[in-house]
């Protein structure tokens, strides 16, 4: 309202000058216009559409007074003149240039108010590299380190790379590119963007925000575990190397080749496993999901520290988070290369590499391999969480997001491949020390692969303390990047949807959001918290986000229209997307996502953690949590249709018709000053 009042006061001020007979275009008029520019930040635009060269440009509404004409101009003509599209005016001094003499004293003047935007200018990245590192840090997360190597060797080793690359080229990368282009063109978060695409699908944005909250509830707990390990690493003897601690049981056995007097049985457990399950998680104190137990105060403090870092990294927007990622996104690569070099020099490392890459081509005939490849590339690149839309919305309008999509997705895939060498060189070393097969050593997947197997391998290396510190620092940094991104997606969406309420209260809103995430994560900090983490990971986010992205692709490609979307890209980048991208967006990507959804429903996973098999009621609870986010989509469709005006056909037509984006248009208010 303040900006609108400024526009009106500027109009009245100019009208007053005209009524007092200030007609000449000499030095006094220039001085008056300069004073007006300094007061309200307006920029006069002459009748030919070009700015007055004597005035400095400013932000906010732009007010222009045209040259005198002998005949009154219509609003359409006045607006056309300001745009530089109208023909020459008739009468004395009616030329379209800026050098024409003033008209008769009694003539009418046309006042054109050119209003580019009434909103605050959108924040942008300080540097292009801030954006690239933020996207890379988001895409490269803990799953690249523990999930890809395990899935790769489980599904045929080197042969798995074929379906993985095919799914990346025809499914993952096109979705990645599409979200970057949408966010950059419409410059909106995942909620408000839908009014410019297909308003009836706005529920997708709310569903994305709920899914992001669910992820924040459990994902940061894994970083709290890593922080506990990090703090425990600052000692000469790592606590997960001995069986003489208070949490150890009689079954604890060190089983390395140097321990000649140890007999390993099926009941034996390693000190690393007991440290993880009995000291960090304390999962032995909880019988299952039906009785989680109390909150572990050590993990609660660790998580509080993690969220404190998160808050002060994102509270000011991309200007601050863009600087933090210079550390959090680059440090993991430094550690990966250090661990790779160290792992390659360990005895038995070659056994792990051979096991990792030895192709088993017969496994490609199994549907499971292709399902795993599609799911891995989808969750690795991360479309559908609102993050890519948010990050791209802070880019300059003509930024080459096509090149960014190819670079960042390639870096993500190469990082997954590199992580496999880092993990399996160490697993080969463990197999050599235990005199077992690599398959027997690499039986654990998920967090256990990092916190048990890899932690134990590090503990038996020379300079174990140093490698433990940098390894768990890397785990924390990988997780922080993804948390920054996930919460920024929610923050951008809410600030764009409710700018008048939240735009000037970002710090308070971020603080409230972080508090909600911390409270929501308390269930994962209980003695049975690991069971809750597994439940959220398997059911609450995976199926829901895939379904949401499927609807997103359908809304963009089929309702908004591929041609219109490609025209938007041409306006931004100067070239029209090729046939490959158009076919992927219209047909291949929807089939790709539908394939994952049907596979999940046809072959529901048997969820098990340690020796606990999730009961049927836990599975039903997981599906209910997943549906709780997705239900926003049909619920908003019904709400939108009920609140629209007109017949049902008119309501439906309006609900699928995109609204014009004010950021890509200029509004003109034309009035005649006497």
């Amino acid at each position: 309202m303040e900006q609108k009042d400024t526009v009106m006061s500027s109009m009245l001020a100019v009208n007053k000058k005209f009524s007092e007979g200030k007609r000449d275009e000499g030095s006094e008029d220039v001085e008056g216009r300069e004073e007006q520019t300094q007061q309200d930040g307006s920029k006069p635009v002459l009748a030919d559409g070009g700015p007055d060269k004597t005035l400095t440009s400013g932000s906010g509404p732009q007010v222009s007074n045209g040259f005198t004409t002998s005949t009154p101009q219509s609003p359409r003509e006045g607006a056309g003149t300001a745009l530089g599209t109208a023909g020459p005016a008739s009468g004395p001094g009616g030329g379209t240039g800026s050098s024409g003499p003033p008209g008769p004293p009694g003539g009418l003047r046309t006042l054109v108010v050119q209003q580019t935007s009434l909103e605050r200018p959108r924040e942008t990245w300080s540097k292009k590299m801030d954006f690239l590192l933020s996207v890379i840090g988001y895409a490269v997360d803990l799953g690249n380190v523990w999930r890809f190597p395990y899935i790769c060797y489980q599904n045929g080793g080197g042969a798995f790379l074929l379906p993985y690359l095919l799914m990346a080229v025809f499914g993952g990368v096109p979705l990645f590119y599409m979200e970057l282009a949408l966010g950059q063109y419409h410059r909106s978060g995942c909620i408000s963007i839908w009014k410019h695409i297909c308003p009836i699908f706005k529920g997708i944005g709310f569903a994305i925000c709920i899914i992001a909250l669910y992820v924040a509830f459990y994902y940061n707990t894994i970083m709290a575990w890593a922080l506990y390990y990090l703090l425990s690493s600052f000692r000469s003897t790592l606590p997960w190397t001995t069986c003489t601690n208070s949490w150890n049981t009689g079954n604890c056995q060190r089983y390395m080749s140097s321990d000649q007097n140890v007999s390993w049985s099926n009941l034996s457990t390693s000190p690393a496993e007991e440290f993880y399950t009995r000291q960090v998680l304390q999962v032995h104190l909880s019988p299952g999901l039906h009785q989680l137990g109390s909150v572990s105060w050590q993990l609660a403090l660790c998580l509080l520290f993690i969220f404190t870092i998160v808050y002060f990294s994102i509270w000011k927007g991309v200007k601050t988070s863009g600087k933090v990622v210079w550390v959090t996104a680059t440090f993991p690569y430094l550690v990966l290369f250090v661990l790779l070099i160290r792992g390659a020099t360990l005895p038995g490392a070659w056994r792990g590499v051979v096991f990792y890459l030895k192709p088993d081509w017969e496994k490609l005939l199994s549907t499971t391999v292709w399902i795993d490849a599609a799911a891995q590339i989808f969750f690795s690149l991360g479309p559908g969480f609102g993050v890519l839309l948010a990050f791209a919305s802070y880019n300059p309008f003509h930024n080459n997001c096509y090149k960014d999509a190819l670079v960042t997705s390639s870096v993500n895939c190469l990082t997954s491949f590199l992580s496999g060498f880092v993990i399996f060189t160490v697993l080969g070393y463990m197999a050599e020390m235990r005199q077992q097969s690599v398959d027997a050593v690499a039986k654990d997947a998920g967090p256990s692969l990092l916190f048990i197997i890899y932690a134990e391998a590090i503990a038996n290396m020379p300079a174990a303390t140093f490698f433990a510190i940098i390894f768990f620092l890397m785990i924390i940094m990988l997780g922080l990047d993804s948390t920054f991104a996930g919460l920024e997606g929610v923050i951008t969406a809410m600030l764009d949807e409710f700018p008048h309420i939240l735009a000037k209260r970002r710090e308070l809103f971020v603080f409230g959001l972080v508090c909600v995430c911390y409270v929501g994560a308390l269930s994962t900090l209980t003695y049975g918290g690991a069971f809750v983490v597994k439940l959220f990971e398997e059911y609450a986010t995976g199926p829901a986000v895939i379904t949401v992205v499927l609807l997103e692709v359908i809304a963009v490609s089929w309702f908004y229209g591929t041609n219109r979307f490609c025209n938007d890209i041409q306006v931004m980048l100067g070239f029209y997307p090729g046939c490959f991208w158009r076919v992927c967006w219209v047909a291949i990507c929807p089939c790709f996502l539908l394939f994952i959804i049907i596979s999940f429903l046809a072959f529901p996973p048997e969820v098990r953690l340690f020796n606990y098999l999730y009961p049927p009621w836990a599975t039903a609870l997981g599906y209910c949590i997943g549906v709780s986010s997705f239900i926003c989509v049909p619920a908003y469709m019904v709400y939108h249709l009920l609140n629209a005006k007109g017949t049902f056909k008119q309501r439906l037509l309006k609900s699928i018709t995109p609204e014009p984006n004010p950021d890509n248009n200029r509004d003109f208010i034309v009035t005649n000053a006497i």
Side-chain angles (χ1 to χ4, degrees):
M1 290 299 296
E2 295 176 358
Q3 291 173 316
K4 290 182 179 179
D5 293 341
T6 304
V7 175
M8 296 305 298
S9 62
S10 301
M11 294 167 60
L12 292 175
V14 177
N15 285 336
K16 184 177 180 181
K17 289 182 181 181
F18 292 161
S19 63
E20 291 175 353
K22 296 184 178 180
R23 309 286 189 193
D24 59 351
E25 298 291 332
S27 59
E28 293 182 0
D29 186 50
V30 172
E31 291 175 0
R33 283 179 289 166
E34 287 178 345
E35 181 181 355
Q36 177 188 345
T37 302
Q38 295 172 356
Q39 291 176 353
D40 58 24
S42 61
K43 180 171 63 177
V45 180
L46 300 183
D48 62 353
D52 190 333
K53 303 301 182 182
T54 63
L55 301 180
T56 57
S57 62
S59 60
Q62 299 179 355
V63 182
S64 65
N65 55 324
F67 282 88
T68 304
T69 59
S70 59
T71 57
Q73 290 176 315
S74 68
R76 184 178 300 275
E77 290 169 342
T81 305
L83 282 170
T85 57
S90 60
T96 59
S98 60
S99 58
L108 289 177
R109 283 188 165 187
T110 300
L111 177 67
V112 181
V113 179
Q114 180 183 353
Q115 180 181 304
T116 56
S117 177
L118 289 178
E119 300 177 356
R120 300 170 63 186
R122 191 171 186 84
E123 188 179 14
T124 57
W125 298 97
S126 298
K127 297 179 181 178
K128 173 67 174 288
M129 190 56 68
D130 293 356
F131 166 70
L132 291 177
L133 288 177
S134 296
V135 174
I136 290 173
Y138 160 68
V140 178
D141 64 351
L142 297 175
N144 294 74
V145 178
W146 81 49
R147 187 180 292 117
F148 177 83
Y150 177 81
I151 289 179
C152 185
Y153 93 78
Q154 190 181 45
N155 290 288
F160 177 75
L161 297 178
L162 177 61
Y164 179 77
L165 291 176
L166 287 176
M167 292 297 179
V169 171
F170 291 99
V173 177
L175 290 172
F176 197 87
Y177 177 27
M178 183 189 76
E179 286 214 347
L180 288 182
L182 283 173
Q184 183 170 304
Y185 182 82
H186 294 286
R187 302 178 70 79
S188 301
C190 62
I191 298 178
S192 56
I193 193 174
W194 287 103
K195 64 184 178 183
H196 307 307
I197 299 175
C198 190
I200 199 172
F201 283 97
K202 191 175 182 178
I204 290 177
F206 293 105
I208 289 173
C209 291
I210 295 175
I211 292 171
L213 287 178
Y214 288 157
V215 173
F217 289 167
Y218 78 88
Y219 191 81
N220 297 281
T221 300
I222 300 174
M223 285 187 284
W225 300 344
L227 180 59
Y228 192 103
Y229 268 85
L230 176 64
L231 297 175
S232 302
S233 300
F234 289 95
R235 56 184 75 180
S236 56
T237 302
L238 297 176
W240 57 87
T241 59
T242 62
C243 292
T244 58
N245 304 288
S246 59
W247 59 82
N248 292 125
T249 66
N251 294 328
C252 180
Q253 299 283 352
R254 278 178 52 89
Y255 186 53
M256 305 297 287
S257 60
S258 57
D259 302 320
Q260 301 294 334
N261 299 325
V262 174
S263 58
W264 188 268
S265 68
N266 292 332
L267 297 177
S268 299
T269 55
S270 67
E273 181 179 350
E274 292 201 347
F275 178 78
Y276 177 58
T277 58
R278 300 180 64 85
Q279 175 63 10
V280 180
L281 303 181
Q282 302 183 63
V283 73
H284 64 288
L285 299 177
S286 171
L289 282 172
H290 61 283
Q291 188 176 340
L292 295 176
S294 59
V295 174
S296 169
W297 66 268
Q298 298 98 324
L299 292 181
L301 289 178
C302 289
L303 186 62
L304 180 62
F305 182 76
I306 292 294
F307 272 120
T308 302
I309 296 176
V310 170
Y311 174 72
F312 286 106
S313 298
I314 65 176
W315 69 322
K316 292 291 186 182
V318 295
K319 296 289 186 184
T320 54
S321 63
K323 298 296 181 290
V324 176
V325 294
W326 281 83
V327 177
T328 57
T330 57
F331 180 77
Y333 284 96
L334 176 63
V335 176
L336 282 175
F337 280 110
V338 170
L339 293 176
L340 178 62
I341 295 171
R342 183 68 188 101
T345 59
L346 293 172
W350 63 273
R351 294 177 58 187
V353 174
V354 170
F355 185 80
Y356 172 47
L357 293 180
K358 184 179 179 181
D360 185 357
W361 299 105
E362 292 183 359
K363 286 199 172 183
L364 295 183
L365 300 177
S366 172
T367 309
T368 307
V369 175
W370 295 87
I371 296 172
D372 287 346
Q376 173 60 28
I377 192 62
F378 176 83
F379 289 111
S380 181
L381 291 176
F385 290 93
V387 174
L388 301 177
L389 291 172
F391 280 171
S393 71
Y394 299 113
N395 275 334
F397 184 75
H398 295 292
N399 173 67
N400 192 343
C401 59
Y402 170 70
K403 181 179 178 181
D404 295 343
L406 296 181
V407 170
T408 52
S409 56
S410 299
V411 169
N412 176 70
C413 295
L414 290 174
T415 303
S416 298
F417 189 60
L418 173 67
S419 299
F421 288 97
V422 174
I423 295 294
F424 276 93
T425 52
V426 173
L427 292 181
Y429 163 71
M430 287 287 293
E432 184 79 11
M433 292 296 99
R434 288 186 175 184
Q435 298 180 353
Q436 291 181 316
S437 66
V438 180
D439 192 17
V441 174
K443 61 182 180 180
D444 291 316
S448 298
L449 184 63
L450 301 180
F451 294 113
I452 298 178
I453 303 300
Y454 208 91
E456 185 176 1
I458 288 177
N460 289 280
M461 292 181 187
T465 298
F466 168 74
F467 286 108
I469 290 173
I470 64 170
F471 176 73
F472 291 112
L473 263 178
M474 179 191 73
I475 297 300
I476 294 172
M477 301 255 180
L478 285 172
L480 282 175
D481 286 334
S482 298
T483 298
F484 295 162
L487 293 184
E488 185 59 52
V490 177
I491 295 166
T492 299
M494 299 304 291
L495 263 62
D496 287 345
E497 181 65 14
F498 308 105
H500 303 295
I501 302 174
L502 302 176
K504 295 182 180 180
R505 302 177 179 88
R506 179 187 170 98
E507 293 85 354
L508 289 176
F509 175 70
V510 175
F511 180 77
L513 179 63
V514 169
C515 290
V516 169
C517 293
Y518 183 80
V519 172
L522 288 178
S523 63
T524 65
L525 304 177
T526 58
Y527 298 145
F531 302 133
V532 181
V533 170
K534 187 72 172 178
L535 183 72
F536 271 109
E537 185 180 10
E538 292 291 336
Y539 294 107
T541 57
V545 76
I546 296 174
T547 307
V548 163
V549 176
L550 173 62
L551 293 177
E552 179 182 323
V553 174
I554 291 174
V556 173
S557 299
W558 299 358
F559 287 86
Y560 185 69
T562 305
N563 291 334
R564 181 184 294 176
F565 178 48
C566 291
N567 288 332
D568 295 344
I569 294 177
Q570 187 175 26
V571 170
M572 283 194 303
L573 308 184
F575 60 85
Y576 199 81
C579 181
F580 168 77
W581 299 106
R582 299 198 300 273
V583 172
C584 285
W585 291 327
V586 171
I588 298 180
C589 286
C591 293
F592 165 79
L593 295 166
L594 198 60
F595 171 68
I596 302 176
I597 295 171
I598 293 175
S599 301
F600 181 85
L601 296 176
F603 309 102
E606 182 185 66
V607 183
R608 178 189 296 270
L609 183 63
F610 306 124
N611 294 322
Y612 178 72
L613 179 64
Y614 283 62
W617 67 265
T619 303
L621 175 63
Y623 280 118
C624 289
I625 296 174
V627 171
S628 67
S629 58
F630 176 73
I631 199 67
C632 293
V633 181
Y636 185 83
M637 289 180 175
V638 174
Y639 167 80
H640 187 80
L641 290 174
L642 291 178
N643 282 271
K645 297 180 180 180
T647 64
F648 180 77
K649 182 178 180 180
Q650 291 172 334
R651 296 180 184 189
L652 190 61
L653 183 62
K654 185 178 180 180
S655 66
I656 62 174
T657 303
E659 299 177 11
N661 193 335
D663 290 340
N664 300 326
N665 298 282
R666 291 183 177 181
D667 299 326
F668 292 91
I669 305 172
V670 183
T671 184
N672 287 331
I674 301 176

